[in-house]
Amino acid sequence: MYAIIRTTGAIFNTEMYRGYRVKKKVKLILLMGALAALGGCGTKEKAAVPTPTELPITIIVPEPTSTPLPEPTLTPTVTATVTPEPTAAKTPAPEPTLTLEPTTAPTATSVPEPTVTPTPVPEPTAMPTSKPTPAPTSNPLIDPVEEVVAGTFPRTGTINVEALNVRSDAGKYFSRVSQVYQHTQVNIWEAKQDPATGYYWYYISYPDRGRIRSGYVFYEYVSVDALGTTELPEESLRPEPPKEPSAIEFIGPVQTTDLASHDKTLQLYGDITPEDSRVAELETLLAGYDKKISIAVWRKDGTKAVSYNTNQGYFSACTIKIGYMLNICRMIDAGLADGNTLLTYEEKHYHTGSGQIRYQPFGTQYTISELINYCLSISDNVAYEILTDYFGYDEYNAMVSELGCNSLKLSDLWGYSVKVKDYIIIWNEVYDYLVSGAEMASVLKTACTNTPFNYGTETLTGIDYSHKSGDCFGYLASYHDAGILWDNDPYLFAVFTASEGKSKDVATVDRAMELINSLMQE
C-alpha cells in the first residue's frame, strides 16, 4: 500500500511539474511574440524571462477507495496546493476611469508643440478697456500711441524675453513667420494697433544669418532705446512686411530657414507657379491623403521650394540618426574624438529592430567609423545605442540648437515631435559637409548614399541619393525619408507620414515624389 501511494504521488508530482513548465513556456513564447511584433527602429527589447527554479513538490495522496474521494476530504497540504483562490481575490476592483461616459472623452486632436525652445512668451488676447496696458518700467517707451503722434519712429530696441514669435501682421492670429531671441538688436519702424484687441504691435526688422528679417511683435517684449542713445535707422532701409501665406502661394527665392510653418496648405517658393498642372495634382493628392503627411523640398541653388503641413510633428524613427552621425564626424575632424577608437558591444546596448550587431556576441568590438557606417547604411539600432552611450547628447543638442532645428533635440534615442522643415536645414548641413573634403566626409557619404529603404526615391531612377529613412508601427506609426537628390540641380527633400510602413499607402508617397522631382529638375 505504501508503494502504491509513493508511485501515485510521484506520477501526480511529475504531471504537475510538467504542466508548470508547459505553462511557463507558453507564457514566454507569447511574450517573445509580442516583442517581435513591435519591430521598426524605435523599439527596445525587454530582458528574457528567466526559467523558474525547479522545486520538488510533495503531495500526500489518501488511501484509494472504491468511490473517488471528493476534493474537500484531501489533507490540508493537498488543499493548499490545488484549491483555487477565492473568486473575490482574483477579480480586481474596477478602475474608476472605466465608468466614464463616452461623451465625456475629449475629442482626439494633435497636441500643439512649442514653436521654439525656450517656449515663446504668450501673446495678448483680451480687449483692453481704454488703451493698451503700460509697458514694463524697463521699457523707456511708456505709451506707443504717444510715440506715434510725436513722430519719433523709427527707433531701435532690444528683445527682452527669451523667445518671441514674429508675425506677418499685428495680431497673434496672423501667421508666424520666424522667431527672434533675447538680446537681439532690432529696428522699430512703427507701432500698429490690432483692431481685434486694441493692443499695439511693433513692426521690427533684424539681422538673422546674413539676412534681414521683418515682422510684428507685441510691443511690451521690446525694450526701446531712449532717444539720443543710439543712431536711428534710416527710413530708406525699412523692409517690406512679410506676406501672409495663402493656400498656394508664390513667394520668391529662399534659404532653408525661410520655409514657413503652416498647416495643410501647399506652399510654393521661387520659380514654381500655381498654374502648373503638376501643382494642382500634387495639392489634390496631399489633401486626399487620410493620414498625417508632411513634405518639404528645397533646391540647393535656392530657386525652388515646396512645403506642405510643416507644423505637424512626428515620431522620428531612424531619420534622427543622420544629424547625430554628422556631429560625431565633425567632432573627429576637430580632434575631439578618434574614428579608430574601439567601442565594445555590451548587454545594455541590445536593441530590437533593424541591424546586424544584435546577433553578435557581447564583447564584440567595433571602431567608431564602423559604427557610423552600420548606423546609416543598414540603420543598425545597436550601433546607434553604442554611439549615444559613448558620446551622449550635449554636443549634438548644441549643434541643432545653433542651427535652429529645435524639434530635433534629443533626451533619449528618438525624437517625438520632429518637423520636416528642420530636416531640410540639417540635410543642408550634411550636403555642405559631404562636399567639403573634410576627413570624415567620405565615411559619412559612403554610409548614407544609395542605401536600401529609400522610401522617398525608389521610383526615381538614374539618380544618386544620400538619405536616411525610418519607420515604426502601432501608436508611433512612421514612414519617413529625408535626404539629398544628387543631380545636375541637387535638392533636399523630407517626406514624413503617419502610415504603418511601406506596405500601406506607398502609392501616395511615390506619386508625390515623382511630381516634386519633375518640378525641381526643370
Side-chain angles (χ1 to χ4, degrees), residues 187-429:
N187 291 334
I188 308 169
W189 300 101
E190 69 174 5
K192 183 177 180 180
Q193 191 174 33
D194 174 9
T197 64
Y199 285 108
Y200 280 82
W201 293 64
Y202 286 144
Y203 176 52
I204 66 169
S205 63
Y206 57 97
D208 180 31
R209 305 179 192 185
R211 304 180 71 251
I212 298 298
R213 293 187 178 274
S214 63
Y216 290 83
V217 297
F218 187 56
Y219 81 97
E220 285 192 353
Y221 301 137
V222 183
S223 295
V224 180
D225 299 325
L227 290 172
T229 60
T230 61
E231 183 178 352
L232 299 180
E234 297 180 7
E235 184 65 33
S236 61
L237 299 177
R238 175 173 177 157
E240 289 294 323
K243 296 170 64 178
E244 175 70 8
S246 59
I248 299 181
E249 180 176 357
F250 174 84
I251 296 180
V254 290
Q255 303 297 317
T256 56
T257 52
D258 290 334
L259 295 181
S261 296
H262 58 92
D263 295 321
K264 293 183 178 182
T265 56
L266 182 64
Q267 298 223 7
L268 310 175
Y269 311 73
D271 299 334
I272 303 177
T273 61
E275 292 77 18
D276 193 307
S277 61
R278 292 166 295 183
V279 171
E281 182 182 351
L282 181 61
E283 183 185 27
T284 301
L285 187 72
L286 297 176
Y289 192 67
D290 63 353
K291 298 179 179 63
K292 293 187 295 184
I293 185 169
S294 298
I295 289 177
V297 186
W298 180 77
R299 201 158 93 169
K300 184 60 181 170
D301 61 9
T303 59
K304 294 181 179 182
V306 176
S307 62
Y308 179 81
N309 200 22
T310 57
N311 272 337
Q312 182 64 58
Y314 296 85
F315 176 63
S316 70
C318 292
T319 59
I320 200 73
K321 295 174 182 177
I322 185 62
Y324 197 90
M325 299 306 121
L326 171 65
N327 186 63
I328 293 174
C329 289
R330 286 177 167 177
M331 292 177 68
I332 293 173
D333 293 339
L336 301 176
D338 186 341
N340 295 317
T341 298
L342 288 170
L343 302 181
T344 303
Y345 172 34
E346 302 176 27
E347 187 174 0
K348 65 180 178 179
H349 300 135
Y350 183 83
H351 202 297
T352 56
S354 54
Q356 295 295 323
I357 297 179
R358 66 190 177 111
Y359 299 113
Q360 304 306 312
F362 299 134
T364 305
Q365 292 188 314
Y366 303 88
T367 67
I368 290 175
S369 294
E370 288 174 333
L371 292 170
I372 291 172
N373 185 67
Y374 274 114
C375 196
L376 296 180
S377 63
I378 60 172
S379 201
D380 197 298
N381 287 335
V382 173
Y384 186 41
E385 282 270 10
I386 296 172
L387 289 171
T388 55
D389 185 43
Y390 183 76
F391 286 98
Y393 301 108
D394 290 346
E395 292 292 334
Y396 166 79
N397 284 337
M399 178 189 75
V400 295
S401 293
E402 184 178 352
L403 294 173
C405 305
N406 290 304
S407 79
L408 305 186
K409 284 185 176 180
L410 293 173
S411 58
D412 60 25
L413 293 174
W414 316 110
Y416 295 92
S417 188
V418 299
K419 299 182 179 179
V420 289
K421 67 179 197 148
D422 283 350
Y423 277 89
I424 297 300
I425 295 173
I426 201 70
W427 272 102
N428 190 45
E429 291 293 310

Side-chain angles (χ1 to χ4, degrees), residues 161-175:
V161 290
E162 288 186 285
L164 185 60
N165 287 330
V166 181
R167 302 284 175 179
S168 62
D169 208 333
K172 70 168 292 181
Y173 298 106
F174 287 97
S175 295

